[in-house]
Each structure stands twice: as structure tokens, then as C-alpha cells.
Amino acid sequence: MEKVTLIATATMGLEALVAREVRDLGYEDVEVENGRVTFTADVSAIARVNLWLRTADRIKLKVGEFKAYSFDELFEKTKALPWAEILPPHAEFPVIGRSVKSKLFSVSDCQAIVKKAVVESMKTRYKRGWFDEDGPFYRIEVALLKDVATLTIDTSGTGLHKRGYRYLHNEAPLKETLAAAMIKLTTWDAERPFADPFCGSGTLAIEAAMIGQNIAPGFNRDFASEGWHVVGDQRWRQAREEVEDKANYAQALDITGSDIDHRAVELAQGNAMEAGFGDLLTFKQMQVRDFSHKGSYGIVIGNPPYGERLGERPEVEQMYKDMGEALRRHETWSAYILTSHEGFEELYGKKANKKRKLYNGNIKTDYYQFFGPRPPRD
């Protein structure tokens, strides 16, 4: 198997960012759809995209796609796919499923039929009647949408937002993939100051440090496909060597985080240590109204409380006013704020230059972008 079709799943609204990351890795055959980015590449891409993609949720290997209006059709077309080219005889291969707007609406039945079809396909190839399933893990998914069945195998294992550094978090942690997306949607680069005045468990600051030093987000974790013979140890070794070669650990960074809650500051400091940035990032307890920085042309990125609970709303709205006053004292800075509060601009005291719809979990939010002047060229 030389060429594979991969699907990078994405949170709604981040598909274009994921596609840009895929292209930046050198893969050109890219198709963008709602919730996913599909592309064709050589097998080594399985390792590379798992290690490097910052804004994708997970990477799936596409085995086949076809219309299925009956269980018989689902069984026969699944059986005809080249499962034995991917699955070794001792593979562990559970099947999960979902169905949307399709005649085959019983997910449990679809899962059972796909499982049986894969077993029958492997029986033909391996000439055996029983599979122990005590080897490498291959999670198969059958996804039906408008009677089109897509069969994939998850290459990531744990979702890609699990970077391996955040063992500690607060009650509503910002997902690492969304944090990376928020940074990628700004004009920040490693030469400019970066500040998060609502740091929580430190995710934005840590993701910024990884971006600033070109450290692959998956460098510190394992993936389901590391044990797959179709990828092989050598390709994984080469991909990890590339990660190490491209990291710029010497890049100086000016990244600070602050929070009104001292417990959040302690969490952020602990996570920064776990990520290897303990001496590089600065966290301190501070209210947003006291925010100050001596640097110029910096970037503020924040995910403040939204005031979703009725009792919190007056306090949150006052905080938004304080934020606007504090950031207006930094005339050369740009600010990027994520919130679901529809009256944010009025409270902040300024109309955003641009807004973008993003989803923080199940919460529909706006990403308010206030552009400061560009730094002068050298």
C-alpha cells in the first residue's frame, strides 16, 4: 500500500485551518467538507500528520465509500474492501458506527454487519476460521450519511487535542486544538509579545510556545497506528526525527499568562513544567483591569468567562469593561477574545475589526478580533 486516503476531522469552523496545515506539510490533493478535510498521500503521511496537525481532532484512514440501502448491500460491499492489506491476522478491530438521514438507521446492526463482513474478508485471505484479536489496535468506523457508507480506521487513538502535557486542568478547560486555532487565526509570531489575561490551566500560552518554537504538538504522545505494519517502525522513526530536526528550542519567546484565581495560576505553572516550558513562560495572579506590558506590538488572546450562569453575568460584564479600558492603554497591541456574550463589543467599548464563528465544545461563540498597527519593518 503506497498511497492512502486520509480524513482529518475538524471542529465546525476550523476546516480551512486544518486544510492549510495539511498543505503546509506538502500534501496538495486536499478536499474540504463540513467537519473534515480529505487528502491523498503516501503512507508516511499517517505518521507525519498525526505528529504535526495542531487544529485537527483525529486522523482516519479511509478504506472505502459506497451507497448502501440494505444490510445485504452493506455486508457485500464491506467484504469486498481490501481489509487484509491493512489488518494483520492478530489485529484487534472493534467497530463503532453512526447513521444520519439513512435507511440503515440501526447503528448496532450496522456495526455487527461490518464486523462480520471484515471477518469474512480476512478468512478468505488468511485461510483461517478464527481470529484471536490480541495484536495491534485498529478501530473501524462505519459512518452512514444520506445512505452513503464511509468505512475508516482511526490512526490516532486518543484525540489529537491530547498533547500529553495537561494532566491538570480547571473546570472548563479550553481544548488544545481550539487554543492552537485561536493563535493561528491571529498575526502573532515568535518575535512579538503574547499575553493571555485569562490563562486558566495555561493552554493558550503553552500552545503559543509550541508554535513559536515549531514544536510538533504530538511529539510527547503515542498513536494507535504506531504498531501498524502498514506504516512500519522506520516511517514512524523518520517522522519523529523530522519533528526533532525542525524544532527551534533556541527561539526566545515573550509569553505571559495571568488569572484572577491563584489556583489557576498554579495549574498553568504545573502544565508548563510538564510541557517543558517551565522556565520559558511566566504566569502570575492578576485581575484583567491591572494588565500591563512594557512591550510593543503584542498580541492578547483570551477566553474569558462568558457569564452563561445568570448570577455571574454582572461580574463578567464588568470584567469586559475593565478589559477594554486596560487594553486601550496598549495602543500598539492587537486583541483576540472568544466569548458567547452577544453584548461583548458594547461592554468592551469598541467594535471588532472582524468576527469569526467558532464552537467551544457545544457553545457557539464569536472570536472578536481587534487589530492594532503592524510592527515597523526592520
Side-chain angles (χ1 to χ4, degrees):
M1 180 177 286
E2 292 299 320
K3 291 287 185 179
V4 291
T5 299
L6 299 176
I7 298 173
T9 62
T11 301
M12 195 71 71
L14 300 185
E15 297 92 344
L17 269 181
V18 174
R20 187 197 308 169
E21 287 195 89
V22 170
R23 292 188 182 101
D24 286 346
L25 287 171
Y27 307 113
E28 297 296 336
D29 184 17
V30 179
E31 182 182 350
V32 181
E33 302 171 81
N34 285 339
R36 67 182 191 174
V37 175
T38 304
F39 57 103
T40 303
D42 55 85
V43 176
S44 63
I46 293 175
R48 293 187 71 231
V49 296
N50 269 300
L51 286 164
W52 281 106
L53 293 188
R54 300 183 191 277
T55 58
D57 291 332
R58 62 177 62 248
I59 308 300
K60 298 177 181 180
L61 171 63
K62 183 176 176 181
V63 184
E65 188 171 271
F66 50 81
K67 287 190 176 294
Y69 299 103
S70 68
F71 289 129
D72 285 342
E73 197 170 13
L74 178 63
F75 177 84
E76 293 299 336
K77 289 182 177 180
T78 298
K79 182 182 174 183
L81 294 174
W83 295 103
E85 291 183 16
I86 305 167
L87 307 181
H90 61 307
E92 179 184 357
F93 54 102
V95 179
I96 62 171
R98 53 194 171 93
S99 179
V100 178
K101 299 179 180 178
S102 297
K103 291 181 179 178
L104 303 181
F105 58 85
S106 172
V107 173
S108 59
D109 287 336
C110 290
Q111 290 173 195
I113 287 165
V114 166
K115 179 76 175 188
K116 183 179 179 181
V118 174
V119 169
E120 291 301 316
S121 176
M122 293 176 67
K123 280 181 180 179
T124 303
R125 170 68 178 271
Y126 292 117
K127 310 299 182 186
R128 60 167 67 179
W130 179 260
F131 299 95
D132 291 326
E133 296 197 41
D134 57 358
F137 188 78
Y138 299 76
R139 189 178 68 181
I140 298 170
E141 180 182 55
V142 50
L144 286 141
L145 175 62
K146 296 180 180 178
D147 300 314
V148 175
T150 304
L151 278 297
T152 60
I153 305 176
D154 174 32
T155 74
S156 301
T158 305
L160 295 182
H161 70 285
K162 295 286 189 180
R163 314 291 206 214
Y165 64 76
R166 196 169 70 179
Y167 292 100
L168 306 169
H169 58 79
N170 51 9
E171 288 183 6
L174 184 67
K175 214 171 182 180
E176 293 89 332
T177 44
L178 178 57
M182 289 169 65
I183 298 164
K184 300 281 262 182
L185 289 169
T186 75
T187 56
W188 181 76
D189 61 52
E191 304 300 325
R192 302 175 71 173
F194 175 103
D196 174 10
F198 311 97
C199 69
S201 54
T203 307
L204 275 165
I206 295 170
E207 290 296 319
M210 295 174 74
I211 291 170
Q213 292 193 338
N214 199 36
I215 296 171
F219 84 103
N220 194 34
R221 54 158 289 175
D222 300 323
F223 301 93
S225 50
E226 286 188 78
W228 293 8
H229 74 281
V230 71
V231 184
D233 292 341
Q234 183 177 353
R235 289 190 180 96
W236 271 104
R237 186 166 54 252
Q238 289 172 341
R240 290 196 179 275
E241 286 172 358
E242 178 190 19
V243 164
E244 192 63 31
D245 290 343
K246 290 189 174 181
N248 182 10
Y249 298 113
Q251 174 65 54
L253 298 170
D254 181 354
I255 297 176
T256 59
S258 57
D259 202 286
I260 192 173
D261 187 345
H262 71 91
R263 293 167 298 181
V265 173
E266 291 171 2
L267 286 175
Q269 290 170 335
N271 287 329
M273 288 286 290
E274 190 65 41
F277 299 123
D279 297 329
L280 194 65
L281 307 182
T282 301
F283 296 99
K284 55 186 175 182
Q285 183 180 6
M286 185 176 67
Q287 297 187 61
V288 68
R289 69 186 181 200
D290 297 324
F291 174 79
S292 65
H293 197 292
K294 294 180 180 179
S296 301
Y297 303 101
I299 302 288
V300 167
I301 305 180
N303 176 44
Y306 302 161
E308 297 266 319
R309 298 192 185 101
L310 195 59
E312 297 174 348
R313 203 168 182 85
E315 184 180 347
V316 165
E317 291 179 347
Q318 183 59 51
M319 181 184 62
Y320 289 165
K321 294 177 183 178
D322 294 342
M323 185 198 320
E325 292 177 10
L327 295 183
R328 277 191 290 277
R329 296 194 294 266
H330 297 72
E331 295 179 353
T332 65
W333 282 56
S334 300
Y336 299 79
I337 306 297
L338 187 74
T339 178
S340 65
H341 196 302
E342 294 181 356
F344 174 74
E345 287 170 300
E346 183 179 350
L347 295 163
Y348 184 81
K350 186 178 179 181
K351 187 171 178 60
N353 298 97
K354 189 175 180 181
K355 288 195 300 184
R356 184 174 182 135
K357 296 287 184 188
L358 294 177
Y359 283 87
N360 185 1
N362 295 323
I363 302 174
K364 186 178 180 180
T365 64
D366 283 300
Y367 195 35
Y368 294 89
Q369 303 172 49
F370 303 90
F371 302 146
R374 292 178 178 273
R377 293 185 177 181
D378 293 337

PDB file of all heavy atoms in Angstrom, residues 114-132:
ATOM      1  N   VAL A 114     -20.831  -4.951   9.641  1.00  0.00           N
ATOM      2  CA  VAL A 114     -19.482  -4.587   9.191  1.00  0.00           C
ATOM      3  C   VAL A 114     -18.448  -5.497   9.840  1.00  0.00           C
ATOM      4  O   VAL A 114     -17.511  -5.975   9.177  1.00  0.00           O
ATOM      5  CB  VAL A 114     -19.189  -3.102   9.499  1.00  0.00           C
ATOM      6  CG1 VAL A 114     -17.697  -2.791   9.350  1.00  0.00           C
ATOM      7  CG2 VAL A 114     -20.011  -2.204   8.585  1.00  0.00           C
ATOM      8  N   LYS A 115     -18.601  -5.770  11.119  1.00  0.00           N
ATOM      9  CA  LYS A 115     -17.670  -6.673  11.813  1.00  0.00           C
ATOM     10  C   LYS A 115     -17.656  -8.046  11.128  1.00  0.00           C
ATOM     11  O   LYS A 115     -16.573  -8.608  10.845  1.00  0.00           O
ATOM     12  CB  LYS A 115     -18.087  -6.816  13.274  1.00  0.00           C
ATOM     13  CG  LYS A 115     -17.216  -7.759  14.106  1.00  0.00           C
ATOM     14  CD  LYS A 115     -15.892  -7.126  14.464  1.00  0.00           C
ATOM     15  CE  LYS A 115     -15.097  -8.042  15.393  1.00  0.00           C
ATOM     16  NZ  LYS A 115     -13.884  -7.386  15.909  1.00  0.00           N
ATOM     17  N   LYS A 116     -18.842  -8.580  10.861  1.00  0.00           N
ATOM     18  CA  LYS A 116     -18.937  -9.895  10.218  1.00  0.00           C
ATOM     19  C   LYS A 116     -18.323  -9.873   8.825  1.00  0.00           C
ATOM     20  O   LYS A 116     -17.605 -10.817   8.428  1.00  0.00           O
ATOM     21  CB  LYS A 116     -20.401 -10.319  10.146  1.00  0.00           C
ATOM     22  CG  LYS A 116     -20.598 -11.711   9.561  1.00  0.00           C
ATOM     23  CD  LYS A 116     -22.084 -12.093   9.536  1.00  0.00           C
ATOM     24  CE  LYS A 116     -22.277 -13.476   8.918  1.00  0.00           C
ATOM     25  NZ  LYS A 116     -23.721 -13.845   8.863  1.00  0.00           N
ATOM     26  N   ALA A 117     -18.550  -8.776   8.079  1.00  0.00           N
ATOM     27  CA  ALA A 117     -18.024  -8.677   6.722  1.00  0.00           C
ATOM     28  C   ALA A 117     -16.502  -8.611   6.718  1.00  0.00           C
ATOM     29  O   ALA A 117     -15.844  -9.229   5.870  1.00  0.00           O
ATOM     30  CB  ALA A 117     -18.610  -7.445   6.030  1.00  0.00           C
ATOM     31  N   VAL A 118     -15.925  -7.888   7.664  1.00  0.00           N
ATOM     32  CA  VAL A 118     -14.461  -7.793   7.757  1.00  0.00           C
ATOM     33  C   VAL A 118     -13.876  -9.165   8.095  1.00  0.00           C
ATOM     34  O   VAL A 118     -12.873  -9.593   7.507  1.00  0.00           O
ATOM     35  CB  VAL A 118     -14.034  -6.741   8.806  1.00  0.00           C
ATOM     36  CG1 VAL A 118     -12.520  -6.756   8.994  1.00  0.00           C
ATOM     37  CG2 VAL A 118     -14.494  -5.351   8.386  1.00  0.00           C
ATOM     38  N   VAL A 119     -14.511  -9.883   9.023  1.00  0.00           N
ATOM     39  CA  VAL A 119     -14.041 -11.216   9.394  1.00  0.00           C
ATOM     40  C   VAL A 119     -14.086 -12.150   8.183  1.00  0.00           C
ATOM     41  O   VAL A 119     -13.126 -12.892   7.912  1.00  0.00           O
ATOM     42  CB  VAL A 119     -14.888 -11.793  10.548  1.00  0.00           C
ATOM     43  CG1 VAL A 119     -14.576 -13.272  10.755  1.00  0.00           C
ATOM     44  CG2 VAL A 119     -14.620 -11.019  11.838  1.00  0.00           C
ATOM     45  N   GLU A 120     -15.171 -12.110   7.433  1.00  0.00           N
ATOM     46  CA  GLU A 120     -15.294 -12.974   6.263  1.00  0.00           C
ATOM     47  C   GLU A 120     -14.241 -12.632   5.207  1.00  0.00           C
ATOM     48  O   GLU A 120     -13.669 -13.520   4.565  1.00  0.00           O
ATOM     49  CB  GLU A 120     -16.696 -12.849   5.653  1.00  0.00           C
ATOM     50  CG  GLU A 120     -17.796 -13.436   6.514  1.00  0.00           C
ATOM     51  CD  GLU A 120     -17.565 -14.924   6.801  1.00  0.00           C
ATOM     52  OE1 GLU A 120     -17.211 -15.669   5.860  1.00  0.00           O
ATOM     53  OE2 GLU A 120     -17.715 -15.335   7.964  1.00  0.00           O
ATOM     54  N   SER A 121     -13.975 -11.346   5.046  1.00  0.00           N
ATOM     55  CA  SER A 121     -12.938 -10.919   4.094  1.00  0.00           C
ATOM     56  C   SER A 121     -11.569 -11.442   4.511  1.00  0.00           C
ATOM     57  O   SER A 121     -10.786 -11.923   3.679  1.00  0.00           O
ATOM     58  CB  SER A 121     -12.917  -9.389   4.014  1.00  0.00           C
ATOM     59  OG  SER A 121     -11.867  -8.937   3.184  1.00  0.00           O
ATOM     60  N   MET A 122     -11.278 -11.377   5.819  1.00  0.00           N
ATOM     61  CA  MET A 122      -9.985 -11.843   6.312  1.00  0.00           C
ATOM     62  C   MET A 122      -9.874 -13.370   6.275  1.00  0.00           C
ATOM     63  O   MET A 122      -8.786 -13.911   6.076  1.00  0.00           O
ATOM     64  CB  MET A 122      -9.751 -11.292   7.722  1.00  0.00           C
ATOM     65  CG  MET A 122      -9.571  -9.775   7.744  1.00  0.00           C
ATOM     66  SD  MET A 122      -9.403  -9.114   9.410  1.00  0.00           S
ATOM     67  CE  MET A 122      -7.828  -9.800   9.911  1.00  0.00           C
ATOM     68  N   LYS A 123     -10.986 -14.051   6.470  1.00  0.00           N
ATOM     69  CA  LYS A 123     -10.969 -15.519   6.365  1.00  0.00           C
ATOM     70  C   LYS A 123     -10.505 -15.950   4.980  1.00  0.00           C
ATOM     71  O   LYS A 123      -9.717 -16.903   4.828  1.00  0.00           O
ATOM     72  CB  LYS A 123     -12.372 -16.081   6.621  1.00  0.00           C
ATOM     73  CG  LYS A 123     -12.776 -16.186   8.078  1.00  0.00           C
ATOM     74  CD  LYS A 123     -14.175 -16.779   8.175  1.00  0.00           C
ATOM     75  CE  LYS A 123     -14.639 -16.904   9.616  1.00  0.00           C
ATOM     76  NZ  LYS A 123     -16.013 -17.464   9.702  1.00  0.00           N
ATOM     77  N   THR A 124     -10.982 -15.251   3.978  1.00  0.00           N
ATOM     78  CA  THR A 124     -10.617 -15.579   2.593  1.00  0.00           C
ATOM     79  C   THR A 124      -9.124 -15.395   2.363  1.00  0.00           C
ATOM     80  O   THR A 124      -8.465 -16.222   1.714  1.00  0.00           O
ATOM     81  CB  THR A 124     -11.410 -14.696   1.614  1.00  0.00           C
ATOM     82  OG1 THR A 124     -12.806 -14.884   1.847  1.00  0.00           O
ATOM     83  CG2 THR A 124     -11.079 -15.037   0.174  1.00  0.00           C
ATOM     84  N   ARG A 125      -8.571 -14.342   2.916  1.00  0.00           N
ATOM     85  CA  ARG A 125      -7.154 -14.027   2.686  1.00  0.00           C
ATOM     86  C   ARG A 125      -6.232 -14.898   3.546  1.00  0.00           C
ATOM     87  O   ARG A 125      -5.229 -15.421   3.069  1.00  0.00           O
ATOM     88  CB  ARG A 125      -6.915 -12.543   2.977  1.00  0.00           C
ATOM     89  CG  ARG A 125      -5.451 -12.112   3.008  1.00  0.00           C
ATOM     90  CD  ARG A 125      -4.796 -12.186   1.633  1.00  0.00           C
ATOM     91  NE  ARG A 125      -3.417 -11.729   1.698  1.00  0.00           N
ATOM     92  CZ  ARG A 125      -3.041 -10.472   1.543  1.00  0.00           C
ATOM     93  NH1 ARG A 125      -3.961  -9.536   1.314  1.00  0.00           N
ATOM     94  NH2 ARG A 125      -1.777 -10.144   1.602  1.00  0.00           N
ATOM     95  N   TYR A 126      -6.565 -15.034   4.819  1.00  0.00           N
ATOM     96  CA  TYR A 126      -5.663 -15.711   5.752  1.00  0.00           C
ATOM     97  C   TYR A 126      -5.941 -17.212   5.907  1.00  0.00           C
ATOM     98  O   TYR A 126      -5.209 -17.912   6.621  1.00  0.00           O
ATOM     99  CB  TYR A 126      -5.710 -15.019   7.113  1.00  0.00           C
ATOM    100  CG  TYR A 126      -5.108 -13.638   7.089  1.00  0.00           C
ATOM    101  CD1 TYR A 126      -5.882 -12.510   7.353  1.00  0.00           C
ATOM    102  CD2 TYR A 126      -3.753 -13.458   6.794  1.00  0.00           C
ATOM    103  CE1 TYR A 126      -5.325 -11.230   7.337  1.00  0.00           C
ATOM    104  CE2 TYR A 126      -3.191 -12.175   6.781  1.00  0.00           C
ATOM    105  CZ  TYR A 126      -3.983 -11.081   7.042  1.00  0.00           C
ATOM    106  OH  TYR A 126      -3.426  -9.814   7.020  1.00  0.00           O
ATOM    107  N   LYS A 127      -7.000 -17.701   5.274  1.00  0.00           N
ATOM    108  CA  LYS A 127      -7.302 -19.139   5.287  1.00  0.00           C
ATOM    109  C   LYS A 127      -7.421 -19.698   6.705  1.00  0.00           C
ATOM    110  O   LYS A 127      -6.848 -20.724   7.055  1.00  0.00           O
ATOM    111  CB  LYS A 127      -6.233 -19.931   4.523  1.00  0.00           C
ATOM    112  CG  LYS A 127      -5.906 -19.411   3.139  1.00  0.00           C
ATOM    113  CD  LYS A 127      -7.118 -19.437   2.206  1.00  0.00           C
ATOM    114  CE  LYS A 127      -6.730 -18.946   0.811  1.00  0.00           C
ATOM    115  NZ  LYS A 127      -7.917 -18.835  -0.063  1.00  0.00           N
ATOM    116  N   ARG A 128      -8.146 -18.974   7.545  1.00  0.00           N
ATOM    117  CA  ARG A 128      -8.393 -19.458   8.902  1.00  0.00           C
ATOM    118  C   ARG A 128      -9.806 -19.082   9.318  1.00  0.00           C
ATOM    119  O   ARG A 128     -10.401 -18.160   8.783  1.00  0.00           O
ATOM    120  CB  ARG A 128      -7.370 -18.890   9.888  1.00  0.00           C
ATOM    121  CG  ARG A 128      -7.374 -17.355   9.968  1.00  0.00           C
ATOM    122  CD  ARG A 128      -6.590 -16.846  11.175  1.00  0.00           C
ATOM    123  NE  ARG A 128      -5.168 -17.115  11.069  1.00  0.00           N
ATOM    124  CZ  ARG A 128      -4.288 -16.750  12.000  1.00  0.00           C
ATOM    125  NH1 ARG A 128      -4.693 -16.153  13.110  1.00  0.00           N
ATOM    126  NH2 ARG A 128      -3.004 -16.997  11.838  1.00  0.00           N
ATOM    127  N   GLY A 129     -10.337 -19.790  10.295  1.00  0.00           N
ATOM    128  CA  GLY A 129     -11.726 -19.581  10.692  1.00  0.00           C
ATOM    129  C   GLY A 129     -11.895 -18.767  11.961  1.00  0.00           C
ATOM    130  O   GLY A 129     -13.026 -18.474  12.354  1.00  0.00           O
ATOM    131  N   TRP A 130     -10.774 -18.435  12.623  1.00  0.00           N
ATOM    132  CA  TRP A 130     -10.889 -17.732  13.909  1.00  0.00           C
ATOM    133  C   TRP A 130      -9.749 -16.734  14.045  1.00  0.00           C
ATOM    134  O   TRP A 130      -8.616 -17.004  13.653  1.00  0.00           O
ATOM    135  CB  TRP A 130     -10.866 -18.732  15.058  1.00  0.00           C
ATOM    136  CG  TRP A 130     -10.950 -18.075  16.409  1.00  0.00           C
ATOM    137  CD1 TRP A 130      -9.937 -17.822  17.274  1.00  0.00           C
ATOM    138  CD2 TRP A 130     -12.135 -17.571  17.030  1.00  0.00           C
ATOM    139  NE1 TRP A 130     -10.401 -17.188  18.395  1.00  0.00           N
ATOM    140  CE2 TRP A 130     -11.768 -17.025  18.268  1.00  0.00           C
ATOM    141  CE3 TRP A 130     -13.479 -17.538  16.642  1.00  0.00           C
ATOM    142  CZ2 TRP A 130     -12.683 -16.446  19.140  1.00  0.00           C
ATOM    143  CZ3 TRP A 130     -14.388 -16.961  17.505  1.00  0.00           C
ATOM    144  CH2 TRP A 130     -13.996 -16.430  18.741  1.00  0.00           C
ATOM    145  N   PHE A 131     -10.044 -15.561  14.620  1.00  0.00           N
ATOM    146  CA  PHE A 131      -9.030 -14.521  14.844  1.00  0.00           C
ATOM    147  C   PHE A 131      -9.044 -14.136  16.315  1.00  0.00           C
ATOM    148  O   PHE A 131     -10.084 -13.737  16.866  1.00  0.00           O
ATOM    149  CB  PHE A 131      -9.312 -13.294  13.964  1.00  0.00           C
ATOM    150  CG  PHE A 131      -9.285 -13.607  12.496  1.00  0.00           C
ATOM    151  CD1 PHE A 131     -10.464 -13.906  11.808  1.00  0.00           C
ATOM    152  CD2 PHE A 131      -8.094 -13.624  11.788  1.00  0.00           C
ATOM    153  CE1 PHE A 131     -10.453 -14.212  10.455  1.00  0.00           C
ATOM    154  CE2 PHE A 131      -8.073 -13.926  10.430  1.00  0.00           C
ATOM    155  CZ  PHE A 131      -9.245 -14.220   9.769  1.00  0.00           C
ATOM    156  N   ASP A 132      -7.894 -14.266  16.960  1.00  0.00           N
ATOM    157  CA  ASP A 132      -7.810 -14.035  18.405  1.00  0.00           C
ATOM    158  C   ASP A 132      -7.935 -12.562  18.793  1.00  0.00           C
ATOM    159  O   ASP A 132      -8.294 -12.242  19.927  1.00  0.00           O
ATOM    160  CB  ASP A 132      -6.492 -14.589  18.951  1.00  0.00           C
ATOM    161  CG  ASP A 132      -6.447 -16.107  18.906  1.00  0.00           C
ATOM    162  OD1 ASP A 132      -7.515 -16.723  19.098  1.00  0.00           O
ATOM    163  OD2 ASP A 132      -5.357 -16.652  18.665  1.00  0.00           O
TER     164      ASP A 132
END
